[in-house]
Every structure is written in C-alpha cells, then in structure tokens.
Amino acid sequence: MAELLAPFAAPLRVVHALTGILLVAGLLGRWVALAQAEQATRAADLLSVRALLRASSVFERIVIPSSIAVLALGLLTAWSHGYPLLGSLQGGRDN
C-alpha cells in the first residue's frame, strides 16, 4: 500500500494538516456560538438565541465531515510514509 501512495505523500500531509485546521476552526466557532447563545438565554433574548443556534449549526456541519476526513487522511498519510498502522504492535519502531 505504501508504494502505491508514495507519490502522494507530501500532498496528503498538507491536505491532512489543512483539514485538521478546518476541524479546529469549526470546533472553536461552534464553542463561541453556543457560549453566546447561553448568555443570550440568561438575558431572555430569544431572537439572539435562535440566530446563534443557527450559527452553531453551520459550524456543526463543518465539524462532522472534517473529523471523518482528518481520520481518513491521517491513515492514508501514515500508509503513504510507510508507517505501520498499529505502530509497535505491528513490529514498527515508532508509535
């Protein structure tokens, strides 16, 4: 498998890193929107709560696919560099 993916090792690593950045940005955005919505509930501002919950759902739609993509791209990147998937359990030197 490593020989097949070797030409794509560098681009896979870059795309994996960028997808990780997208995941973290989505998590932070969702966290901020939900925190603001919680503050708006204390102030009993229902219109703001509704708008902030809609904003948090946008970030949620970013988080779910990007988390799956980070895992898949991480596995492909590891294979392309010839790292064993289970590290030392497969006889590899590194984990």
Side-chain angles (χ1 to χ4, degrees):
M1 182 76 144
E3 300 84 23
L4 219 116
L5 292 172
F8 305 106
L12 275 172
R13 182 178 277 182
V14 170
V15 172
H16 173 65
L18 292 175
T19 308
I21 291 169
L22 180 67
L23 173 63
V24 171
L27 288 171
L28 288 174
R30 181 181 66 177
W31 175 66
V32 168
L34 289 175
Q36 293 298 316
E38 186 177 342
Q39 287 182 356
T41 57
R42 290 189 197 119
D45 185 6
L46 295 180
L47 291 176
S48 295
V49 171
R50 186 176 181 188
L52 288 164
L53 289 178
R54 280 189 186 155
S56 72
S57 71
V58 170
F59 289 110
E60 188 69 34
R61 287 192 297 266
I62 293 171
V63 167
I64 293 171
S66 65
S67 64
I68 295 167
V70 165
L71 176 65
L73 289 167
L75 291 174
L76 288 172
T77 302
W79 283 328
S80 70
H81 287 282
Y83 297 136
L85 189 59
L86 298 176
S88 61
L89 295 175
Q90 284 184 300
R93 189 174 57 89
D94 299 323
N95 277 329

